[in-house]
Every structure is written in structure tokens, then in C-alpha cells.
Amino acid sequence: AAGAAPAVAPANSSSNVGIPAMAHGPFSNALIGGQLGLIDPDLEPSEAVLSTDNNSLHGHGCRREDGCWALRGFIVASCLAAILMAPAALPSTTGKQHTGATSGQLAMQLFAEEKRAIDPCTLYPDMKFLSVLHNNLGGTGPDQGPEGLVLEAMGRIEGQSLRTFVVINATSKYHSTKSWQNGIQGTEAAVNIHSGFHVDLRISFQDAATGKTLIIPNLALTFFDLDTASDGRCVESITASDFLKYIISRPNTEVSIEKRDKTTFKATRPGIAADNPKDPLYLTLQQQERAVTLIYQRPKEVRVTLAATAGIGPRFFIFVVKPSLLCPKTIKPGQRILSELDYFPPLDMPVVAELNQTFQDWFVKDGEVVEAGRTLCTVLLRDKSAHTYVAPQSGKVAIQKRLTTGTDINTALPERRILAVVTLPTWPALKREPGDSPVQAAVSLRFSSWKVQCGDMVEKDQDLVELEDDENQPIMLKSDKAGVVKAVQDYFRSGDPVVRAIDRSLLTLGKFARLKLKKGQEPVAVAAGMNFKRWIAEVGDVLTVSSPVAEVRTVNGDWHKIRAVRDGILVSRQEGLKWGMRLDDVMMDRTLAVIGKLRPLAVGTGASVTNIRPGMRFIVYKVKEGDFVTTSTTIAVVSHPDGQGRDRSQAVRPVRAGIVRAIQNGLREGMSIDDTMQDLNIATIGKLAPLDYGLESKPVEVPSLTAQFMEWRVKTGDVVNKGDPVAVIIDSSSQETVLQSPKYGKIESRQDKLTKGCNLGDVLNDMTVAVVGRFPAVQPWPSFLHTPVEAPHGAFFSSWCVEDGERVSRGQPIAKVIMPVRRLSDGFQRMVTGFDKNITAPDDGSIRNLQPLEPGMKIDDAIEGPAIATVNKSLPFMQIFAMLVCVLMWLCFYGLLKIMRKPKPIYNHIIFDEDGMSDSEMAAEDEVPLRVKRDRQRPRGVQLDFEDHHDHGHSGHHGGEHNYIRTYYAVHRPLGIIPYEAEKKEAPIIVEGFTINSYAKYLGVRRHSKLVAVNGESVIGKDYEVVEAELEKALEEYDVWPLRIQFQCPDGRIEPRKFTEYPLGLEFSSEAPIKVSKVLQGSPADTEKVKVGWYIVQIGDKEVGRITNFREVKGNLKEGIYPLAKGTMEIPRTVC
């Protein structure tokens, strides 16, 4: 039921109520003129108001208890008649053709306009508060920064949806002990003051897209809950002025009114927080009597004073931007209501139920993101048949959560029957630099097509974007100045509303930002009036004085080269410049590029620098990176003036022996060291980094660091047996010593920088010169005659059950392994406890290629591949006979061809004697690998025990599903595990999947396995957050797992790179496959020598080279980079 007719009072006794004129059409003026008064013809259309007196508003306002059904009947009859006469009765005022609109649609449009004309609340601006952006009213916090309270709101102003900022500033001293509670309470804005104080407020409104102040016609503010404390103290009051009208529920309410220079609305009755309104349009009679609505004509700002007399504690004042007392829905105290869902086109689209339907069930949750066409809910029709409502568009859905099964929709939602509202997602504002200006469009328009691209040079009045209005008429957005297109909203697709861009900016137009100059850097400037042609030098290039940097065209039409003004390296340049651009139009200054100094060489722990004196000029390097040097070795040659006008050469020598770790590769002959380098270090001398190796690998160590290195006998990747020569050294007694392999396996790594004659003590940090790794994978030939005998993942070798060459039958045990349950450490001894398992022969034949495993070895770490032996299958007699027949037939056929072929002429040649190959060179060693003992040290890292489920059936036993523990040692972070049902918040953590570049996947962790222990301590039954915290604490001391990215060069080569820092320092195109367009100097990408023009084809273990969806590739890249950025980064569209 509607409330009692409101009492409306003017700001002075002779004024009338102001209502905006928004109704149009052949019947509208007649109805409005006859009932409410005529439109003032002297007012501008945006300022037009309807004049009436209080009696006419009370006597003829169409409210339910007034019985205005005759008027409504007349309107309906008029609309039915308009179905036939609308085409003739509606002359076009714009000259545009109304395509696609039937006479029935036009009639319904007229009906909607008449409905707005008789429903006064729809004619006023309406705002819905969304969030608190800034809270520092009166400078009392809790936020830092400018004074004021800023609320984000979505407004419906003059028929258009507009994102708005409501700015509230204190213009007097503000007293509050709970300023952190200012902001939004439910659906109302809230400001509190301490009892016994007052505060003067200035309320203004800004367009969220432009930041400009909004002047809103017929602004309505409704203040609620004006009451006192229970003892009659803390009397709340609101003082205002300059308003057009105020509205109260009836002449004698609980709010007293005092009129002087300003009007004061003061509370007279006590109240509590529980009687505050839950919905600004559904009010009890008591809530209406404690409220007041103020209507302003066209305010630039609103000034009010909030006050509370002396008492205890704070007093809260709440208000909304809508005329709530003009058309309230009266409810009883305690009555449960369903607030109508509000929506703001064109982003919002409602789902409206038909008449006479009963609600059944929801299929989505409030706030869920849905695709267009997804089922939202079901209802029952009159005939008890089911009907579904689907999402009209993709976006975030808001639903009537309080609708329950069996609820009659007509009764619960009598006004508009809106079941849900689906909101299109918005896009972030374009990044703007100083001097950039956004190109914006009206909220009612839709995007059609681009006429320019990012980086294009545009003239004044040039076409930028084609748009469409509500009648599908094309509208061209033009440039208001010359400049360059800095950024575009490339998310736009044809038909998208402009308001999807949160700031309504389609593109930004401006000039390139100034290049930053640091100390010691010099600009490369250009004269006025030039046109750009091309770049000659790339960023990172080393330049000498007069080296060409770029080429431009002068005002006379001549081509001119811009040259470097000093020696140095090209640090930066205006990358956005394109051929033909007028530099004065696109640059904020005349600096084309910046020349700086070479970066200082990195000096690691234990390394030393090679400094030279100031004033030197570089001539030439005598060594290269990786060379071994002594204190007498010449590193480089430099020159300096001798005081007589001549340059004298000088050799630069290191202060210690060692390996040349780095040199300044950018130096060129004749360069001034002082002008080119940031320091005086031209070479770094140090030792080689120690080799890293795993548990089953063995180091090849030197007996003493006093020895000298002579030569290598193997290369990385070579397979060696135990005792094979690896390297040769000369000890302190000048005796030659051969370093032998400690085991059978592959050369995993070696100190490749070692050169003949270098002292090992000067270049090595430890005794290790090479590492022998895992046994090579079994690769028998021909493969079809051999069947591999494979061990399960995670197994530990126990013993062999057969000898090499022994005949075996299918199912016969070949070896015994232990499937671990847990691993214990006791000093240097490592013990494995678990259950025994037999590895059986997969086929009949002879056992071959037994790997030299020893008891206790973990098979995964010892062998490249799961095969520990092979079964040599013997061919049946008939197969052998058939093969021999085929070979014989082929030989016969080949012989016939040779006989029938015409012989070639024979020519005499001069034959020279050649030295034959020696027997020792022809001989081949075939030594049986010898078994070695394994290292029994506990591996480094965090011990992670996973319970796995796998099928281990074999012959002679009933196969079944067994649970066993796989143990891994993590030395990097994070693990990159996607847990299953993480929302349950309890352990154990079950592996559902892996992230891109997952370290856990690299370790061999399997899907569906459960984490049961961390460092030997069980985590079963613990909270999810506790287990996650334990993992983070255990792994925090280890380095981050490198992000592996593979690049494809223009010539087709694949270049793998690893990154451990963020940002990577790459800029790339906004299309897939991603192409590197820029590498930032000094960045990790620069260190890894990534080049412009390379394509990203693989991120971690994810191949992206063939993916054409840029957003998908960017998402993969963001997921891979996330661990490097510690979860706090946001990747821009084309930068990482």
C-alpha cells in the first residue's frame, strides 16, 4: 500500500513545487497541462520545470488510494488507438528514418512515456551508492591524503546512466570518534558526528569519467532517521538553504521545522538503530515521519549543517539521492519485504518475470559471472508447467536472493517483477601520461569500428572512431587537434556500448612523453620543423662521437642524419616515432634519444676489479671472457696524453690471477673512459662458480688445488664407465695425474672455462671439476626385438633376481625394489622403509642390458628413464626363414640390375698413397660398466611426502590399487600446485592440477596425490591455512623456481631463457603469437640477451606458439610470471 500523500512546502511561501518536464508525445502535453500545469516556454529544455501548487499535487497525483483508474484507462485506450495512427501521428523531428520499429512498439513507447509522466519519482535523478573510494572527512582518517569523503555511485540523470563520484567535504571543524564508519550503510550514505558538535558539509557531484563537476537538474536528497537519544538528549538536526522545495510525509510529523535565514529540520522523538529504513522506498509510517526530502533546481553544490546536542557517543546521519518521500511504499513495522532490484542501462539488463508465476529455484549464485543464455532460475506458470529464465547477456548477475520455492512473484515483487540484473563488465581506464587528452563519447552511443590505430599520426578533424546512436545512425568521432594516438581501448567490438570503458575514453591523443635524463647522460636533440624518417641506432648500441642515430627530413625537404654528441651507449629513444611524423606535433620536447654511460660490471663474492686511472682512452682488449690470467697478463691497452701533445700506450694488468668473469664489451678504440663508463673497472677477475649436482651424481675431484689444469678427455654429455679418464692435471711435483670417473654415467657438467696451464687454486671455489650424472637410458637395437623392463616411479633398488644373458619367461621376477613409505636419516646413512615389490619380465626371452644399480639407489635419480633392463625376444623359425628368403630375393634382384646395366667408361686416375689408420685408432673399447656405491647423504631441500594411488598388478599376484608414499625434496619455490576443493579449508591437500611452469610437476608430483607430511611431520587433519603457512615458511629460504621461456628467432632457431626476476623487461605487441618489440636496458631480459623480433613460443611447459588468442597467451604469461612477482603485480597490456 502506498503511504499518505506527502506534504510539500516551498522554500518560501509563494514558490511552487519543481518537477522536470521529461514526457513527450501527442498526448503528453494535454495530460500534463490539464492536470499539473503548462511547461514554461522561456526555460531551456534541460531546465524546464512543471509549475503547480500543493493542492493540485495532492488532489491529482496518481496514487493507488486516490483512485486514478479513470485516467489510467484513458491512457491505455489512447495507446491502443495509437497502434493504428502512430505512423501518421508522429512526424519526424530529426529527419532520421526509424527502422525496425512497428506501430505496436511505438505505442508501447508512448505508454512508457505516459507512465513516467504520472509517476513523479521516475522524473528525478536517482543514484545507487556502490563503494567508498576515499574516507578522510575533516582530515580525521582513516585514509591518508586529501580531506573529504568520496563515494562511487551509479546515477540515472536525465534518462542516462552515469558513473558518478559523490564528494563530501567538511567546511568547518569536524568532531567524530568513529570517522572510520563514515561511508555507506546498506543503501544510504552515512556521516557521523560526536554528540554536542556540528559540522558544515559541502556535497558535490563529479563525472567519474572526466572529473568535471556535474550540475544536476532537480536534485533530490532525502535524509532519514532524525531522532534523539532515549533520554531526550542528542537531538539531531539538519540545516539547509537554497533548496527549491522540501517534502515531509504530512503537515505535523516528528520533525520540527524552524525557518530563519536557513531552514532547520530537528528531531523530536527518540529512536534506535533497529528502526532505520532497510530500503529507501519501502518505509514504515514512523520512518516517513522522521525523514525529509530536499529538492534543488540546478545546484553546483549542496551545503548542509549536521548537528547533535550534548549527549553520549556519536550520532549517525544517513541520506540517499532520490525523492523517497514523494512516492514511498508504506509497510508495517517488522514486515518482510523484497527490495526491487535497480538497474542502469545500457550496462545493466534486467530479467523480468511475466504475470501470475510462482518462483521455484535458482541455478546461479548472487554475484556470479555468467555467459549469455545460461539458465538463471525456474518458475511455474498457471498450468503448473515449468519455465526457465536465462541470462540476456554475459556479465555479473545480481539476483533476488530472498525469493524461495513457492513464492508468488506478483505478491513478492508487485512493482516491476525483476528477478535478476546482469551487468556487463567494464574495462579499465586507459593509461595517460602528462599532456595526453582522452577522446570520449556520450554514454548513449555504441562502438562500430576504428578508423585509426595505436601509434598513428592524426590531423585536426580527422576521423577517429565510428559510433552508432540508438537509432543505428552512424556518428563519426573526429580529432580536435593534431597529435599521435597513444593508446586505444582494443577490447571494443562492434555493438559494445561506450560506457563499457570505465572513463568513456575510446583512445588517448597526445604527444610522446619526455625521455628521462639521469646524471651523466646527454640528449640527442633535433631542430624545429623536422619530419621523422627512420632510426639508425638501436637501444643498447655503443656509439662514438658523430655516430648516426636517426634520419630526419628538414623543412627544405632534405634528408639529414642526427648524430651522437659524445661517446657512450644509446640508453633510450622515442620508440613511438614512425616515418613521416612531424616531430613538433608528437614530441613534448626535441630530445630524440639519450646517450649514457656503460653499466658497471657486476662484481660477485670473491671477485676483484681491474681499475685504471682517470683520463685514459681505450685502445684494445687482449683477453676475452673466460680466459685464465695471471698478474703479468695484459688485460687491455689504454693510452693517456704525455703532456707533449702525444698519447702514450699503457698495459692494464690484473691485481690477482683468476678467470676473466666480465669485460666492458661496449668499449671501442679511441673512446674516453671517463665519458663512456660509470666507473673505472674494465674487467672483473674471479673464480668459477661451483658445479651443482644431485643425490645420485658423483663429482670428479682434484686431489689438491695447488695443481695446474692440462686438458679434458671428455665432453659434457659423454657416457663414461667407472675409471675412464675425465681430465689431466699436473700436481705440485710436476707429475701428470689423470682424473678418473667415479661411476658409470653421463658427464652432467664440467668447468668448461678451465684452460691449459691455469692454477686450480686461482679459479676453483671447491675441488670439483666435473660431475658424472645418471646412467644413460637403455636404447637397444633393433628396438622391436627388445622389451624394456620398467620400474615404478619412486622405487628404490634392492637386488637382482637374474644374471645378464639368462633366459626368462613372462612374469618371472627380474629385480626386487622397495616402494617407500617414509625416509629416515641417521648420520651419513639413509634407510628406506616400505614394502617389497618384484619387477617381472614383460615377455619371454633373454635378459640384457642390466643397469649397474646398487642396493638403496633411487631408480628415478640414477637412470634416465624407467627401464632397468631389456628382454631380448627370440624370433620363431618361420619368421627367420621368411626374412632370409626376402634378403635372398633382394640380392638376386640387385644382381640382375647390375648385370643388365651398361658399364660406365673407366678413366685412369693418378692415385696417391694415403697413410692408413693405426690399429689403436680402429680398436673400440667395450668395457662392462662397474657398479659403484651411492652417496648416502640426506638430500638438500624441504622433504615433501605425497600419498599416491597407482595400479601395480603383476603376474602371480592379484593386481590392485595400492597407496604408497612418494618423497620429494624441494629446493625452489613455489610448488605450483592447484589443490582440489581448496574451499573446504582442511588438509590433506590433494593435487588437482599444476600451474604453468610448475616446480612440483618438474619434481614428478602426480595428479590426485595427497600431501601427507612436510619435513617428516604429518599434516593430515590440519587446517588448509596452517599447512599453507608451514609450506611457505619451509620454502622461504630457497630461491624462486626460474620461469623458462622459449623464444623463436626469425631464422627458426629456438632460444631457451630462464628468468628469476620481475619485471622481465619486455615490451611486446598486443597480438598472438607475442613478438618482442622492445628489451629494456639492464633488465633480466637484457641480461639473458633476448632480442627484438623474437617470438614467445613456450612458457614453462605450455606451448603458446600456435595460439592466436592474445588474451589467452597473456594469461599464460601472467600465470608464469606470478611467482616471480610475489603475487603483487599487475601486468599491463603490452608490458611484462
Side-chain angles (χ1 to χ4, degrees):
V8 182
N12 53 65
S13 58
S14 61
S15 299
N16 294 326
V17 175
I19 301 177
M22 296 180 65
H24 303 281
F27 308 111
S28 303
N29 289 340
L31 288 173
I32 298 173
Q35 300 293 331
L36 300 177
L38 295 175
I39 298 176
D40 188 344
D42 296 330
L43 294 177
E44 295 294 329
S46 59
E47 300 178 347
V49 296
L50 297 178
S51 299
T52 181
D53 55 22
N54 296 341
N55 293 331
S56 64
L57 180 61
H58 286 274
H60 300 284
C62 191
R63 313 182 65 82
R64 290 191 178 181
E65 68 274 19
D66 294 335
C68 293
W69 300 108
L71 177 60
R72 293 177 180 245
F74 173 73
I75 294 173
V76 172
S78 301
C79 293
L80 294 176
I83 294 177
L84 299 177
M85 60 183 293
L90 289 175
S92 174
T93 61
T94 63
K96 298 179 181 179
Q97 188 69 26
H98 295 269
T99 59
T102 64
S103 58
Q105 290 173 331
L106 295 176
M108 293 305 295
Q109 179 182 357
L110 288 176
F111 179 76
E113 292 174 349
E114 302 303 341
K115 185 176 185 299
R116 288 196 297 269
I118 62 176
D119 187 356
C121 273
T122 61
L123 307 180
Y124 286 85
D126 180 10
M127 291 189 186
K128 177 182 179 182
F129 296 113
L130 302 177
S131 63
V132 180
L133 300 180
H134 183 70
N135 187 359
N136 190 24
L137 187 62
T140 60
D143 294 344
Q144 302 295 321
E147 184 277 332
L149 174 65
V150 182
L151 308 178
E152 181 187 18
M154 182 59 76
R156 187 183 294 108
I157 303 172
E158 294 187 310
Q160 298 290 341
S161 297
L162 190 66
R163 183 168 166 266
T164 309
F165 294 154
V166 182
V167 183
I168 305 173
N169 298 105
T171 58
S172 67
K173 183 66 176 178
Y174 175 59
H175 300 270
S176 175
T177 58
K178 293 189 176 182
S179 58
W180 56 273
Q181 289 187 335
N182 291 334
I184 301 175
Q185 291 186 2
T187 58
E188 298 91 14
V191 174
N192 73 86
I193 63 173
H194 198 72
S195 299
F197 295 95
H198 76 279
V199 62
D200 297 332
L201 298 181
R202 180 179 68 243
I203 305 174
S204 58
F205 303 87
Q206 295 179 1
D207 186 338
T210 63
K212 295 181 180 179
T213 300
L214 295 174
I215 299 178
I216 304 176
N218 301 289
L219 176 69
L221 299 180
T222 300
F223 292 86
F224 297 106
D225 194 38
L226 292 176
D227 55 18
T228 70
S230 57
D231 57 1
R233 297 191 300 168
C234 304
V235 178
E236 299 175 356
S237 64
I238 298 173
T239 302
S241 62
D242 299 329
F243 53 85
L244 183 65
K245 294 292 180 184
Y246 69 84
I247 302 175
I248 54 179
S249 61
R250 60 186 179 86
N252 296 315
T253 67
E254 294 184 12
V255 178
S256 68
I257 303 173
E258 300 177 2
K259 295 184 178 180
R260 294 187 179 89
D261 294 338
K262 298 181 179 180
T263 304
T264 300
F265 304 90
K266 185 181 296 183
T268 60
R269 300 288 178 86
I272 58 176
D275 58 21
N276 292 354
K278 301 296 186 297
D279 188 295
L281 294 179
Y282 291 85
L283 305 173
T284 64
L285 291 176
Q286 183 188 67
Q287 291 168 349
Q288 295 177 40
E289 293 202 353
R290 295 180 178 179
V292 59
T293 294
L294 304 178
I295 299 177
Y296 296 82
Q297 188 172 14
R298 291 177 60 84
K300 185 176 182 180
E301 60 184 29
V302 173
R303 291 182 178 266
V304 295
T305 299
L306 310 181
T309 59
I312 300 175
R315 303 302 295 181
F316 284 82
F317 294 81
I318 57 177
F319 69 92
V320 294
V321 184
K322 60 182 65 180
S324 298
L325 291 185
L326 191 59
C327 45
K329 281 78 173 176
T330 304
I331 60 175
K332 297 178 181 179
Q335 178 180 348
R336 180 175 177 269
I337 62 169
L338 291 179
S339 300
E340 294 277 0
L341 292 175
D342 209 350
Y343 65 97
F344 298 87
L347 289 181
D348 295 346
M349 190 170 291
V351 178
V352 183
E354 300 292 336
L355 291 170
N356 303 318
Q357 294 182 347
T358 303
F359 184 79
Q360 282 297 104
D361 195 13
W362 287 111
F363 290 92
V364 294
K365 297 179 180 179
D366 187 55
E368 185 176 346
V369 177
V370 299
E371 296 293 332
R374 179 174 172 182
T375 300
L376 302 180
C377 64
T378 57
V379 299
L380 290 181
L381 305 180
R382 269 186 178 179
D383 58 0
K384 303 302 180 183
S385 61
H387 176 70
T388 60
Y389 285 100
V390 299
Q393 64 183 8
S394 299
K396 187 176 181 180
V397 62
I399 65 173
Q400 280 286 5
K401 295 182 290 186
R402 299 173 68 179
L403 281 177
T404 57
T405 303
T407 301
D408 181 73
I409 297 177
N410 289 4
T411 304
L413 301 170
E415 294 296 322
R416 293 184 290 179
R417 303 186 305 281
I418 298 178
L419 302 177
V421 174
V422 182
T423 303
L424 281 172
T426 56
W427 301 318
L430 292 173
K431 183 180 178 181
R432 275 188 264 174
E433 297 174 344
D436 292 351
S437 58
V439 177
Q440 298 174 318
V443 296
S444 60
L445 301 178
R446 298 188 307 275
F447 175 82
S448 179
S449 63
W450 294 110
K451 299 301 181 183
V452 292
Q453 296 179 351
C454 186
D456 285 355
M457 175 72 187
V458 297
E459 304 286 347
K460 186 177 181 180
D461 295 327
Q462 181 176 334
D463 293 345
L464 300 177
V465 189
E466 184 177 351
L467 306 170
E468 292 180 350
D469 60 13
D470 291 337
E471 298 178 352
N472 298 325
Q473 297 298 314
I475 296 177
M476 194 63 67
L477 198 61
K478 296 179 178 294
S479 171
D480 61 351
K481 64 178 182 180
V484 63
V485 179
K486 299 289 290 296
V488 298
Q489 275 287 9
D490 52 7
Y491 289 120
F492 270 116
R493 297 294 180 267
S494 181
D496 283 338
V498 168
V499 291
R500 291 202 68 177
I502 199 167
D503 59 349
R504 302 202 310 276
S505 297
L506 286 83
L507 53 87
T508 57
L509 196 64
K511 297 182 178 182
F512 296 124
R514 294 181 176 91
L515 296 177
K516 295 182 180 179
L517 278 175
K518 297 182 180 179
K519 184 178 179 180
Q521 296 179 345
E522 293 288 340
V524 179
V526 65
M530 300 289 188
N531 284 31
F532 184 78
K533 181 182 179 183
R534 66 186 179 100
W535 289 110
I536 299 175
E538 301 288 337
V539 172
D541 285 356
V542 177
L543 306 175
T544 59
V545 175
S546 300
S547 294
V549 176
E551 193 171 5
V552 298
R553 190 168 188 172
T554 66
V555 292
N556 299 325
D558 301 326
W559 296 113
H560 176 69
K561 290 182 179 179
I562 307 298
R563 299 183 181 274
V565 295
R566 73 169 208 192
D567 297 337
I569 185 171
L570 190 64
V571 176
S572 60
R573 66 183 191 181
Q574 286 288 10
E575 295 291 350
L577 291 177
K578 294 183 179 181
W579 188 92
M581 283 186 173
R582 288 192 302 276
L583 299 181
D584 293 343
D585 290 341
V586 299
M587 290 173 54
M588 300 182 69
D589 59 8
R590 295 177 181 174
T591 301
L592 275 181
V594 174
I595 297 178
K597 296 183 178 183
L598 298 174
R599 294 176 57 195
L601 298 176
V603 181
T605 304
S608 61
V609 298
T610 307
N611 287 330
I612 59 176
R613 291 184 303 165
M616 297 289 183
R617 285 192 175 274
F618 179 79
I619 297 179
V620 68
Y621 272 114
K622 293 296 185 178
V623 296
K624 58 183 181 297
E625 292 180 0
D627 286 354
F628 171 75
V629 296
T630 66
T631 54
S632 61
T633 304
T634 299
I635 296 289
V637 178
V638 296
S639 66
H640 64 91
D642 60 359
Q644 300 179 359
R646 292 176 298 180
D647 288 342
R648 296 180 63 88
S649 298
Q650 179 180 337
V652 181
R653 294 182 174 86
V655 296
R656 54 165 283 189
I659 295 292
V660 179
R661 300 288 296 273
I663 62 175
Q664 284 287 11
N665 290 307
L667 289 176
R668 299 291 184 269
E669 183 178 357
M671 280 187 171
S672 169
I673 299 295
D674 296 344
D675 292 341
T676 310
M677 294 174 52
Q678 298 182 33
D679 59 7
L680 299 174
N681 176 29
I682 64 170
T684 300
I685 311 299
K687 295 184 178 182
L688 299 173
L691 297 176
D692 192 16
Y693 54 92
L695 186 64
E696 304 301 343
S697 301
K698 293 288 185 179
V700 179
E701 298 180 337
V702 296
S704 172
L705 290 177
T706 59
Q708 287 186 349
F709 183 81
M710 292 301 294
E711 64 174 346
W712 290 108
R713 293 289 181 87
V714 294
K715 300 186 297 293
T716 301
D718 286 354
V719 178
V720 295
N721 293 314
K722 183 178 181 180
D724 282 355
V726 175
V728 180
I729 62 172
I730 295 179
D731 59 21
S732 57
S733 61
S734 300
Q735 296 295 320
E736 188 176 282
T737 301
V738 177
L739 302 181
Q740 297 178 339
S741 172
K743 58 169 282 189
Y744 166 67
K746 275 188 177 182
I747 299 297
E748 190 174 273
S749 59
R750 70 176 194 178
Q751 291 287 14
D752 291 317
K753 298 294 185 181
L754 291 178
T755 57
K756 184 176 181 179
C758 66
N759 296 319
L760 297 180
D762 294 334
V763 297
L764 293 181
N765 278 297
D766 59 6
M767 306 288 234
T768 302
V769 296
V771 175
V772 183
R774 295 187 293 178
F775 309 147
V778 176
Q779 295 179 343
W781 188 90
S783 59
F784 67 89
L785 291 180
H786 296 265
T787 303
V789 180
E790 297 183 351
H793 180 68
F796 286 79
F797 183 76
S798 177
S799 63
W800 291 109
C801 301
V802 295
E803 297 291 337
D804 195 8
E806 184 177 336
R807 290 285 300 178
V808 294
S809 58
R810 178 178 297 185
Q812 180 179 337
I814 300 296
K816 289 184 179 180
V817 296
I818 299 174
M819 303 307 299
V821 175
R822 57 182 181 145
R823 305 170 76 175
L824 305 173
S825 60
D826 181 13
F828 292 101
Q829 300 296 322
R830 184 179 62 187
M831 296 171 290
V832 181
T833 61
F835 59 89
D836 293 336
K837 179 178 178 62
N838 287 332
I839 307 299
T840 60
D843 214 334
D844 298 335
S846 300
I847 199 72
R848 289 285 188 271
N849 301 308
L850 292 182
Q851 292 281 26
L853 295 169
E854 293 186 358
M857 279 189 174
K858 185 177 181 181
I859 296 176
D860 293 342
D861 294 339
I863 307 176
E864 294 180 346
I868 61 174
T870 61
V871 175
N872 185 11
K873 298 178 291 184
S874 57
L875 289 175
F877 173 76
M878 291 303 297
Q879 292 183 4
I880 296 175
F881 178 75
M883 291 176 63
L884 291 175
V885 170
C886 291
V887 171
L888 183 60
M889 292 178 64
W890 183 85
L891 290 175
C892 293
F893 180 72
Y894 180 76
L896 289 174
L897 287 178
K898 295 291 287 183
I899 294 172
M900 297 173 63
R901 181 179 300 172
K902 182 179 180 180
K904 294 182 179 180
I906 300 176
Y907 301 94
N908 292 323
H909 298 275
I910 300 175
I911 302 176
F912 296 91
D913 292 334
E914 295 182 352
D915 295 332
M917 187 176 293
S918 65
D919 295 339
S920 60
E921 294 175 354
M922 296 294 295
E925 262 187 342
D926 187 16
E927 184 178 333
V928 177
L930 301 178
R931 300 182 180 180
V932 296
K933 294 182 179 179
R934 70 194 289 247
D935 185 2
R936 300 191 180 278
Q937 266 189 327
R938 181 190 186 278
R940 183 172 67 93
V942 178
Q943 178 180 330
L944 304 174
D945 295 333
F946 285 84
E947 181 181 293
D948 207 346
H949 304 273
H950 217 50
D951 187 26
H952 299 287
H954 53 79
S955 180
H957 298 79
H958 294 288
E961 186 179 303
H962 301 281
N963 297 340
Y964 59 96
I965 301 299
R966 297 182 186 275
T967 300
Y968 307 90
Y969 288 87
V971 294
H972 291 284
R973 59 179 171 83
L975 295 179
I977 288 175
I978 301 175
Y980 177 72
E981 294 185 345
E983 65 273 7
K984 290 188 175 180
K985 302 297 183 183
E986 63 179 22
I989 295 176
I990 301 176
V991 180
E992 175 67 14
F994 303 96
T995 62
I996 288 178
N997 197 49
S998 169
Y999 177 50
K1001 186 175 181 181
Y1002 171 82
L1003 289 176
V1005 177
R1006 298 188 178 189
R1007 291 184 59 199
H1008 309 304
S1009 57
K1010 294 189 295 187
L1011 178 64
V1012 296
V1014 178
N1015 280 332
E1017 182 179 347
S1018 174
V1019 297
I1020 297 178
K1022 293 185 179 180
D1023 290 341
Y1024 179 87
E1025 291 86 353
V1026 174
V1027 178
E1028 189 176 33
E1030 289 182 1
L1031 281 173
E1032 289 181 359
K1033 183 176 181 181
L1035 290 169
E1036 63 182 357
E1037 64 177 287
Y1038 295 101
D1039 295 334
V1040 69
W1041 176 239
L1043 172 61
R1044 298 163 296 161
I1045 299 180
Q1046 290 191 8
F1047 297 86
Q1048 183 174 346
C1049 305
D1051 59 3
R1053 289 182 296 108
I1054 300 298
E1055 292 285 347
R1057 295 292 187 269
K1058 293 183 179 180
F1059 299 91
T1060 58
E1061 297 180 62
Y1062 174 82
L1064 306 185
L1066 294 177
E1067 293 188 6
F1068 45 81
S1069 57
S1070 57
E1071 59 184 12
I1074 288 179
K1075 181 180 180 181
V1076 177
S1077 60
K1078 183 178 181 181
V1079 179
L1080 302 182
Q1081 183 184 8
S1083 66
D1086 185 27
T1087 304
E1088 289 292 328
K1089 302 188 184 303
V1090 178
K1091 302 298 182 184
V1092 173
W1094 288 8
Y1095 289 88
I1096 297 178
V1097 296
Q1098 184 165 333
I1099 304 170
D1101 53 356
K1102 176 72 173 180
E1103 293 186 2
V1104 298
R1106 298 184 179 180
I1107 299 177
T1108 57
N1109 187 326
F1110 172 71
R1111 294 188 186 179
E1112 180 181 350
V1113 179
K1114 182 189 172 187
N1116 294 331
L1117 183 59
K1118 181 176 181 180
E1119 184 176 337
I1121 291 176
Y1122 187 87
L1124 306 184
K1126 301 180 181 178
T1128 61
M1129 57 72 181
E1130 179 67 25
I1131 303 181
R1133 181 161 304 156
T1134 58
V1135 180
C1136 67

